[in-house]
Amino acid sequence: MRQIDCKFHRDLKPTRVWGYGSTSPGPTFDVRSGQGILVEWANELPTKHIFPIDHTIHGAESNLPEVRTVVHLHGAKAPANSDGYPDNWYQPGKSVVYYYPNRQDAAMLWYHDHALGINRLNVFAGLFGVYFVRDEVEDALNLPKEKYEIPLVLYDRIFDTDGQLNYPVSGNPKSPWTPEVFGDGLVINGKIFPYLEVEPRKYRLRILNGANARFFHLSLSNGQAFQEIGTDQGLLPAPLELKRLTLAPAERADMIVDFSGSAGEQIILKNDSLSAMQFRVSRTSVHDPSAVPSVLRPVPKIPESAAVMTRTLSLIEVQDPAQRPVRMLLNNAHWDMPVTENPVLDSVEIWSLVNTTDDSHPIHLHLVRFQILDRQSFDAPTYLRSGKFVGLGPLILPDTSEAGWKDTVRAEPNMITRIIIRFEGYTGRYVWHCHILEHEDNEMMRPYEVISAR
Ligand code: C2O
Ligand code: CU
Ligand code: CU
């Protein structure tokens, strides 16, 4: 991890960012399922942070070093001591070696900082990158590959007139935390409004929402559909035609776009009505040997009857008298309170996420993959007053695009969202949290512990 200068746009001065190696996003890993790797993550950052720290936030007290980092590989089934537990941060000049066994299906993972209380600032500074796991099932599909497979990391940033990153503050110098950060500069792979020269053929776009808080709603300017073939934790059972794709922070989508009908055209990838990037399709037709098979990878449903435990977990926003959010909580508990979620290794549980707030929260569990069961509206005031759950309206099945294995789920406002999880892999201490990083840093994160069966 180093402080570097990056050009986000031809017309902007170089911007000071933090990256892994000499880039942000950092280098892209490409590993085979079942082949473990060791990574030495070395903190070579300066000792002064580039953004204001809120010392009233737990884990960011003023007696602690300003610059602290710890890397988490999001979506990895990794042993607890290599998972980047938020308390396991270290200072500039130090490094750790982490072991990633990669005993999991082909998927797009991503690595990013996870230091307690300043994670939002470290990621905003640029500490994230992409990590692909490959396997034979994926190989056998003959999907577009190599230069026809493009990782796209989308995020938003605020730039000042000098071209430098600006992380907004609350206006209270003692507690600069703000509940969410949205930038007006939409960035893809480190560039503002980039373009890509493509051939008139199929491409595989591996899209990650790497933003702190923004949800993306993506579409193509010519009205063309994407074929979605995978989500967070790998391939869907079958491709899905989609004209508009919603991605919450940390969610991934594996998309096929066919440019063969657009030779000579320019197509814009749009976020709502704004331009995100441009595809310039060349004129000369090409031979495209790749395919999008109608069957991809079976995703066997975990039956609800397999669950040995159902946990009801609430999402809470704590407000000040002026109804401004001051902190966000999971199940009314703070980060440093004792562990309350302790699933048994290899057991199945249902977690019911009861969202009492007016925001959608992308909830992520480390270590595991899960399936979304359903969502239902409920009477939030009654629930907050009495703890009684009164469902309103029908059970809503997940979107077809949420049908595969997930590691991040949108807990929609005033809804209960149920997920089913098998706690496979390792025992030990992990975390679950909201992936809106401003929420995560301000208490919307809890430890959980996988314990061994007696
Ligand atoms: Cu993207 Cu705790 O992770
Ligand atoms: Cu994670
Ligand atoms: Cu949240």
Side-chain angles (χ1 to χ4, degrees):
M1 294 156 245
R2 292 196 187 117
Q3 182 163 298
I4 49 177
D5 283 328
C6 280
K7 284 284 276 183
F8 280 80
H9 190 275
R10 181 189 57 203
D11 299 331
L12 269 183
K13 289 182 196 154
T15 306
R16 186 179 53 188
V17 303
W18 290 0
Y20 294 95
S22 51
T23 58
S24 173
T28 298
F29 287 73
D30 210 299
V31 307
R32 296 294 303 179
S33 174
Q35 288 181 10
I37 63 165
L38 294 166
V39 180
E40 180 176 3
W41 299 105
N43 181 341
E44 297 177 3
L45 292 164
T47 52
K48 178 113 192 69
H49 212 290
I50 54 176
F51 301 126
I53 292 174
D54 187 330
H55 295 297
T56 67
I57 284 183
H58 178 271
E61 289 80 6
S62 47
N63 61 338
L64 296 173
E66 271 201 12
V67 177
R68 303 174 279 115
T69 61
V70 59
V71 186
H72 167 59
L73 178 54
H74 180 126
K77 200 204 271 187
N81 59 10
S82 289
D83 193 56
Y85 195 73
D87 281 332
N88 292 346
W89 48 261
Y90 46 97
Q91 300 177 55
K94 299 256 181 329
S95 76
V96 301
V97 175
Y98 275 179
Y99 170 52
Y100 303 115
N102 301 316
R103 275 182 226 117
Q104 57 189 100
D105 290 352
M108 180 192 203
L109 315 184
W110 65 301
Y111 58 99
H112 60 74
D113 195 71
H114 223 303
L116 191 66
I118 53 169
N119 185 29
R120 69 196 185 290
L121 307 174
N122 290 352
V123 173
F124 202 83
L127 291 176
F128 53 89
V130 168
Y131 187 110
F132 289 121
V133 179
R134 312 282 184 185
D135 67 12
E136 295 80 46
V137 175
E138 180 189 31
D139 294 345
L141 293 176
N142 189 27
L143 298 165
K145 54 173 177 281
E146 284 144 23
K147 65 175 179 163
Y148 304 110
E149 183 191 28
I150 314 282
L152 295 177
V153 187
L154 275 69
Y155 44 108
D156 55 339
R157 291 293 182 269
I158 302 164
F159 296 88
D160 66 18
T161 47
D162 254 348
Q164 298 309 309
L165 293 176
N166 176 1
Y167 187 91
V169 289
S170 65
N172 174 357
K174 285 217 164 97
S175 59
W177 178 79
T178 47
E180 280 108 24
V181 165
F182 301 108
D184 50 7
L186 209 164
V187 185
I188 299 191
N189 297 355
K191 302 286 173 198
I192 297 170
F193 194 41
Y195 69 88
L196 181 70
E197 284 171 348
V198 295
E199 297 167 17
R201 52 158 289 155
K202 289 189 284 306
Y203 278 76
R204 184 178 182 192
L205 307 178
R206 312 291 301 266
I207 309 178
L208 158 69
N209 181 344
N212 278 34
R214 186 182 290 281
F215 287 54
F216 289 104
H217 308 283
L218 304 174
S219 62
L220 293 166
S221 59
N222 60 355
Q224 188 183 338
F226 309 94
Q227 302 258 94
E228 185 170 32
I229 59 167
T231 58
D232 302 346
Q233 283 283 326
L235 294 161
L236 288 169
L240 191 73
E241 207 161 277
L242 216 64
K243 288 212 158 161
R244 189 166 187 267
L245 169 73
T246 297
L247 277 187
E251 284 189 307
R252 286 88 77 203
D254 194 347
M255 309 294 265
I256 303 288
V257 182
D258 191 351
F259 295 116
S260 63
S262 313
E265 288 172 30
Q266 299 185 347
I267 299 169
I268 308 254
L269 176 68
K270 309 195 79 162
N271 175 41
D272 291 317
S273 59
L274 299 175
S275 298
M277 73 170 285
Q278 186 186 50
F279 297 101
R280 299 182 181 169
V281 191
S282 61
R283 235 167 265 282
T284 27
S285 62
V286 293
H287 170 65
D288 181 359
S290 70
V292 187
S294 57
V295 177
L296 300 165
R297 165 174 237 148
V299 178
K301 261 203 169 23
I302 311 177
E304 276 190 49
S305 58
V308 295
M309 170 80 107
T310 295
R311 298 178 196 270
T312 305
L313 302 156
S314 55
L315 281 50
I316 310 263
E317 178 174 304
V318 181
Q319 299 176 334
D320 68 6
Q323 297 202 318
R324 283 175 306 222
V326 286
R327 102 180 46 89
M328 323 291 293
L329 297 177
L330 295 171
N331 230 19
N332 263 322
H334 289 244
W335 165 253
D336 60 3
M337 287 162 71
V339 176
T340 39
E341 285 68 57
N342 40 19
V344 174
L345 183 66
D346 291 323
S347 74
V348 173
E349 296 194 356
I350 293 172
W351 285 23
S352 296
L353 307 167
V354 183
N355 184 353
T356 68
T357 77
D358 293 330
D359 293 315
S360 179
H361 299 270
I363 298 295
H364 167 54
L365 277 75
H366 286 206
L367 176 69
V368 291
R369 59 181 188 175
F370 54 75
Q371 294 172 0
I372 304 174
L373 291 171
D374 47 44
R375 298 188 174 92
Q376 189 186 21
S377 296
F378 71 102
D379 182 359
T382 304
Y383 179 82
L384 285 171
R385 212 175 333 104
S386 64
K388 264 236 287 303
F389 182 81
V390 184
L392 303 172
L395 288 181
I396 300 166
L397 292 178
D399 293 351
T400 34
S401 66
E402 297 175 309
W405 289 107
K406 297 278 293 167
D407 58 40
T408 305
V409 58
R410 297 189 289 273
E412 301 291 10
N414 297 302
M415 285 195 135
I416 179 168
T417 300
R418 297 195 315 142
I419 57 176
I420 188 162
I421 317 145
R422 181 173 283 118
F423 288 87
E424 291 171 306
Y426 302 92
T427 56
R429 184 74 63 93
Y430 294 89
V431 300
W432 67 287
H433 60 87
C434 177
H435 223 289
I436 292 176
L437 300 183
E438 285 71 34
H439 296 181
E440 175 196 321
D441 265 348
N442 201 352
E443 300 280 2
M444 210 171 199
M445 173 163 71
R446 285 282 293 154
Y448 83 88
E449 186 152 348
V450 182
I451 58 177
S452 54
R454 288 150 279 254

